[in-house]
Amino acid sequence: NKVAKVLSLSLCLAVSAAAATMAQAKTFKVAVGDAAGGTQHELGKKFNEVLQEKTGGKHDAKLFLNGQLGSEQDTVNDASIGTLDFSILAINNVTPFSPSVGVLTLPYMIQSLDDAITLTQGEVGQQLVENTLRDAGVRIIGWAYSGFRVLTNSKHAVTTPEDLSDVVVRVPKNAIMIDTYKAWGINPTPMAWSETFTALQQGVVDGQDNPYITVYAMKFDEVQNHVTNLRYLFSIEPLIVSEAVFQEQSPEDQQAILEAGQAATEHSAKWLVEQEARIKQELAEKGMQIADPANGEQEWIDLATSKVWPKYFDSIGGKDVLNNVLKTLGRDEI
Ligand code: MLT
């Protein structure tokens, strides 16, 4: 009898311990701006996989693709007030909430995947994580690397800035990008990402820019036929967590979240290298006509850097911050 009592007591304890663990188990909601098959999706899948591994299956992450949880900029607000757990979105849609992040979206600042990795995973990135936390109440815990944003349009080949004169181009609601197109001589149309496919389809706008992998995942080839290989903006897409949600987690779970974010970041860089050329080729096979900018892109570069950079010295934190970034990339200071 004594044995039976001890057994039933231990059973009770085991059941309540399991119940306590289950009670804490959580499926985090992750907003994803892009469709399946893009770099954001790939980052999110890896994050979920590693999070499950690191928490022994206690926590997982459910991805809501295609802007189902709102426009990318709205998801920053939602995460900031704690009504959304995580979001994966393009860095240009974070800048309005934390202007210093704009240093990553200055035209022609990031010139390669290596530059993107150096900036996001080193001291510059750490400072930007802290600034975003302070300004927007969200913590960047991972980065997707998506490649250069190429320009697509449905009108005609574009190789010089003058060719843009009759093309209505959608841009994110990002002041630096709006000013970049102004430097190239046109007034672009700022619009939320979640509205872009329909606007292209209905001819409200003629063109937009995004990386090859995003163009492919979003099926833009169905509504766009010309591509210009611009290299003005290397797209980086952070995974952010609501700081309010992060602070509710135990130290072990916080660690698991951070490690899953880091593992997903490393995976993203490899995945871009493996996929980008193949996807570009597929888009060409689907009929997209791909052109390089004229004269090694020099006119695009000169206009954008001379007119846009000086306007943003202050908002990114001053010329010293900019020079520190240039130094980190091994470039001449200005
Ligand atoms: C945008 O163009 O608004 C974003 O860069 C799109 C994206 O998140 O892929």
Side-chain angles (χ1 to χ4, degrees):
N1 267 353
K2 210 172 163 193
V3 174
K5 269 188 194 159
V6 171
L7 273 178
S8 88
L9 182 65
S10 3
L11 190 65
C12 278
L13 287 175
V15 168
S16 52
T21 313
M22 290 308 288
Q24 290 161 11
K26 182 153 178 165
T27 295
F28 292 108
K29 276 191 175 178
V30 185
V32 181
D34 294 348
T39 50
Q40 296 183 352
H41 184 209
E42 195 62 28
L43 184 84
K45 280 192 300 185
K46 192 69 180 180
F47 174 72
N48 177 34
E49 184 190 310
V50 180
L51 180 69
Q52 290 190 41
E53 254 167 54
K54 302 262 175 205
T55 60
K58 190 175 80 169
H59 294 324
D60 65 358
K62 182 166 166 44
L63 308 181
F64 294 82
L65 299 169
N66 268 318
Q68 279 174 72
L69 299 186
S71 77
E72 291 196 352
Q73 292 191 2
D74 285 348
T75 67
V76 181
N77 268 326
D78 295 344
S80 176
I81 57 175
T83 55
L84 171 67
D85 303 322
F86 290 83
S87 177
I88 306 174
L89 72 168
I91 192 70
N92 44 271
N93 288 326
V94 179
T95 321
F97 301 90
S98 189
S100 68
V101 168
V103 76
L104 299 178
T105 54
L106 282 180
Y108 300 101
M109 171 59 81
I110 296 179
Q111 298 183 0
S112 63
L113 172 61
D114 280 351
D115 282 358
I117 291 173
T118 302
L119 291 188
T120 50
Q121 296 192 42
E123 269 174 39
V124 171
Q126 194 45 47
Q127 188 60 52
L128 294 177
V129 169
E130 283 166 27
N131 295 353
T132 315
L133 194 52
R134 178 197 65 206
D135 299 340
V138 297
R139 182 184 289 263
I140 298 172
I141 57 145
W143 306 89
Y145 304 103
S146 304
F148 288 104
R149 294 177 72 108
V150 294
L151 174 69
T152 67
N153 87 90
S154 56
K155 287 197 116 172
H156 52 71
V158 170
T159 63
T160 66
E162 295 76 51
D163 292 336
L164 283 177
S165 61
D166 62 342
V167 183
V168 180
V169 179
R170 171 269 170 184
V171 285
K173 296 177 187 169
N174 172 299
I176 297 179
M177 295 168 80
I178 294 169
D179 278 333
T180 302
Y181 277 90
K182 285 189 176 159
W184 291 333
I186 62 162
N187 259 324
T189 304
M191 183 184 285
W193 179 230
S194 44
E195 293 160 20
T196 304
F197 183 88
T198 311
L200 291 168
Q201 190 175 40
Q202 297 179 347
V204 175
V205 293
D206 306 313
Q208 63 84 47
D209 67 58
N210 259 291
Y212 275 112
I213 294 177
T214 311
V215 169
Y216 182 80
M218 300 301 292
K219 300 192 172 27
F220 281 179
D221 54 285
E222 291 175 4
V223 289
Q224 302 276 271
N225 44 3
H226 295 280
V227 181
T228 312
N229 282 326
L230 292 183
R231 298 168 70 86
Y232 85 107
L233 228 180
F234 187 100
S235 188
I236 301 179
E237 327 229 6
L239 165 61
I240 60 173
V241 57
S242 159
E243 183 62 4
V245 171
F246 187 73
Q247 289 305 334
E248 282 166 8
Q249 309 309 309
S250 67
E252 297 75 35
D253 288 346
Q254 287 182 346
Q255 193 57 29
I257 288 171
L258 295 175
E259 286 175 10
Q262 182 58 30
T265 302
E266 285 160 22
H267 172 73
S268 175
K270 276 197 239 125
W271 196 76
L272 174 67
V273 173
E274 285 162 15
Q275 302 296 323
E276 195 179 31
R278 177 186 66 77
I279 283 175
K280 179 179 174 187
Q281 177 66 29
E282 266 193 55
L283 287 170
E285 280 160 17
K286 282 170 180 272
M288 292 196 99
Q289 293 172 36
I290 301 178
D292 283 329
N295 306 320
E297 208 168 335
Q298 203 53 49
E299 197 185 349
W300 302 83
I301 296 171
D302 292 345
L303 287 169
T305 51
S306 67
K307 295 194 177 174
V308 180
W309 281 34
K311 197 168 164 190
Y312 289 92
F313 288 161
D314 286 347
S315 70
I316 62 168
K319 217 168 162 185
D320 288 351
V321 170
L322 182 76
N323 276 329
N324 181 45
V325 171
L326 288 169
K327 206 166 108 198
T328 306
L329 294 176
R331 292 214 211 110
D332 293 341
E333 298 179 24
I334 57 168

